[in-house]
Amino acid sequence: MIIIKPKAEFVVTVEAELTPDLAEKDIEEVKKFKVYYGKDLVELGELFEVVREGDDKKLVLEGDFSKVKWIGCRMAEGEIVVKGSVGANCGAYMAGGRIVIEGDADDWLGAEMKDGEITVMGNAGNLVGCAYYGNATGMNGGKITIEGNAGNYIGEKMAGGEIEIKGNAGDFIGTEMKGGVIKIHGSCGFVGGDMKAGEIRIGGDFELMPTFVKGEDGWSGDMNVKGEGVVKKL
Amino acid sequence: MHHALHIKNGIVIDPKNGVKAEKMDIFVKNGKIVEESELKGEDVKVIDATNKLVVAGGVDMHAHIAGSKMNTGRTMRPEEMRVVRNIANKFRAAIGRVLLTSPAIGYEYTKMGYTSVFEAAQPPIGALHTHEELDAIPMLDKAALPVFGNWHFVLKYVAEKEMEKLKAFIAWAIERTKGFGVKVVNPGGVEAWMYGGNVSSLDDQVPGFNVTPREIILSLIQATEELKLNHSVHLHCNRLGVPGNYETTIESIRLASKFSNDARQVLHVTHVQFNSYAGDSWRTVASGAEEIAKTVNAMDNVTIDMGQPIFGHATAMTGDAPFQFTLHRLTGSRWSNKDSEVEGGAGIVPIAYLPKNPVHALQWAIGMELGLLTDSDKVVLTTDYPNGGPFTEYPYIMAMLMSRKMREGELEKVSPFVQKASNLPAIDVEKTLEEVIHMTRSLPARILGLPNKGHLGIGADADIAIYDLDPLNVDTSNDFEKIYKTFKTAVYTIKDGIIVAKDGNLVEEYWGKTYWVDATGRVDLEAIKADLEDYFRYYSVELQNYGVEESWLKKPERIVI
Ligand SMILES: [Zn+2]
C-alpha cells in the first residue's frame, strides 16, 4: 500500500494517472512518476509525500485531491481509497478494481469505464459514466454508486454496467443510452432523450420526453430514434 | 543557425542527377548545395554519414494541411485531439491522432525527412485564413493551390470562349490568393451540388452555365499552359468515389493529348485511387487501376498521385461537396458541408479504413496497384492526407512498393474480396529504392515546377534527409521492416542548410518559405476589370478587400513568370 499526500495546496490542476500499479513499484520509482502540474512535467515526489505501508496493491490518497485529475485512469485491478475529494476524469476507461471516494467527485467520473467499481460517499459532478466528446460509447461495464447527488448528463451514450445515485440528479439522464441500468433514488430532470436501449429507474419526480410511450409498468422509447429503452419507477 | 555543412561519406541517391547509390560528400553553404571549393575558410560543421543514405528532403505535392476545412475537421473531431505528440519545452505543443494541429504537421513531416508540403485545395475566399495556418506550420516550405473548377468567373469565361479573360482571371486570382497553381475539383459538379445535384459525365451541362466539365478542363489546361505556370492543372476528377468512375478518369486523362510541354506534364491527376473503380455498384465494384496505369504510361504529358488509403483512422475532406454527402449517407458518419460564395464548396466526413471491410480493402489494393503498375516517372506517393490516412505512414507505402513479400503478408490480413476484385495479389513488381526516392522527391518537385527542390545537385536548396540505411547492403524485398522503420525517422533532417531534426528529436524551430506565383505580368488585367467590379458589387467582400497582401505572409517567396 502506498499513501500519497499533497505537500501544499495546488494553484493549477495536476494531471496524474495514479493507479494501484504504483504500489508494486519501488518507492523511489513512485516518487519519480511523471505528472503534469499545469503545463510543467514534474515528478510525483515534488508535489506529494509518498509513504509505503505493507504490500497490497492499494493507493490511499489523503487530503484534498479535488484539483488532481485522471486518478485511477485505465486501472485494471487493485484499490484506490481517497480520503477527500477528487478532480475530473477519476476512473476514466477503468477496466477493473475498486475506487472509493470519501468526499466528492468532479465531472467525467468513470467515463467510458469497462469494468470495476466506483463508490462516491459525497456528491458527483456531471457526465458520470458517459462517452468523451466525439466517441460513440460511454460506460459499458462495472458499477458506479453515488451516495449523494449528481449533476447533468449522467450515463450519456452508456452501453452497459450500472450507475446508482442515492440522492437527486440533474437533467439529460441516459441521453443516447444504448444499454445498462441507471437508478436514481431521488428526483431528476429530463431523462432518456434519444435513448436506444437500457433501463432508467427513478424513485422521485422526473420529466420525460413526449416521445416515450406509456406501457404497463413504465415507458418505452425514445420513439424518435426507434429506441427500445425502458423508463420506470424505482 | 546557418552553418556551412560537410556531409561526409554518405551513400547518395539523387535520381534527378543520375546518382545511383554512390559514396560521395555533399557541401552546404547559405542554405544551398555548393561545390567543395566554396567552403574554403568557412566554419564548417561536419556530419558523418558513413554507410548512411543521403537524399533530398521529401516533397509532398498533395496534402491538406491548412484552411477552413482542416479547422472544421478539428472542431468536428475532438477525439482526434487526445493524442499528445510533443509537449511545449522550447517547441510548441503538438497534438492530434491523424488530424494534427499545425505545429504537429510541421514537426511530424520533419521527423520523417520531408521538407516541402503543398496544400492542395485552397478556397479563394478563405485564402487569408489558409495562409495564416500555413504560417503556423513550422519547418516546411509550403504553398497552396486555389480551386478554380467551379468558380463562376471560370464557368462564365469558358462558356463565352473568352480565353484571354480566363487567363487574366487566373493570374489575378492566383496573385490575390497568393496561390501557386490551378486546382480543379469535380469541375462543374460542385456548382451542380448548389442545386442538390452533381455531374455524371464529362458532357453533362453545368446548371446555369452553358458549359460541360470537358470544356472546363480543356480551357483551364490551355490557359495554364499559355500562362506558363510552374505547375500544370491539378485535377481531382469528376465522379470521385463512384463505382464505374475509372472510365471518366481515363477520358479526363486523355484530354491532355491535345497539349504539349517539354518541361513538365500538362495535367496532374490527383489521388487517383478514389477515381479507379470499375463495376456499376458497391456490390460489383472492382479495380480499374490497371486500365488507368496503362493509359498514363502510354501518354507523355500526364502524371498522377496515388491517394493510398492506410488502414485506421482518416478524415475525408475535399472540395468535392457532393461526394462528401454521398460518403456521409454511405457510412452514417458525421458530416459537415461548406460553401464558399461562388467559388466552390467542401465537405468533411470522419472515416476509418478497416482491413476486413471489402470496399476499404479494395481501395487499399487499388492504391498499391496504381503505385506499382504506373511508371515510376509518372506516379507520386501520397495518401491525400488526411483523406486516405496519415502522411506519417508514407514509409509503409514505400516498403510495400519495394517488397512483394510484405504485400503478401498484408494481403492475408485483408478481406478476401481483394483477391477477386483486384490484381494486386498477382503483381510481382518491386520498385527499387531509387524509384521510391524519385516518387517522393525528384518527381513531385519536377511536377510542381520547382527546379531547386527534390535533388542534391549544385545550386539546389539544401533540403536534405539522412537515413540509417546502407543502400548498397540492403535487401529491399526482404528487409521491409527495416525499410519501414528507417523512413519513419530520419537520422538528420536538414532544411535550408539548418539541422532541424536529429534521430527523431526536433533540434531547432525554423520557418520555411511560402511559394506563390505571379503571372500578372503576362496578362491584361484591364480586360477583366469591369467584370470584377460588377461581380463584387454583390459579394460579401469588397473587391478592394479581397485577397491576401504579400506583406501579410511570414516568409513569402514570389515566383515571377
Ligand atoms: Zn486532396
Side-chain angles (χ1 to χ4, degrees), chain B residues 62-64 120-121 183 236 270-271 317-318 384-385 387:
Chain B
H62 188 111
H64 302 282
K183 173 74 183 297
H236 157 139
T270 191
H271 45 66
M317 51 173 69
T318 136
D384 190 17
Y385 169 78
N387 286 285

Side-chain angles (χ1 to χ4, degrees), chain B residues 467-525:
Chain B
Y467 296 99
D468 189 10
L469 186 80
D470 178 355
L472 300 170
N473 286 300
V474 67
D475 173 1
T476 50
S477 304
N478 290 306
D479 295 345
F480 50 85
E481 276 168 13
K482 177 160 175 62
I483 295 285
Y484 173 74
K485 211 173 141 254
T486 298
F487 284 104
K488 271 263 172 181
T489 314
V491 182
Y492 283 93
T493 304
I494 297 165
K495 177 79 199 80
D496 288 338
I498 292 163
I499 299 169
V500 285
K502 187 172 181 325
D503 298 321
N505 298 311
L506 303 162
V507 176
E508 185 160 332
E509 185 143 78
Y510 177 77
W511 297 98
K513 298 180 279 289
T514 300
Y515 291 101
W516 72 277
V517 169
D518 187 353
T520 53
R522 300 184 67 89
V523 297
D524 174 18
L525 288 176

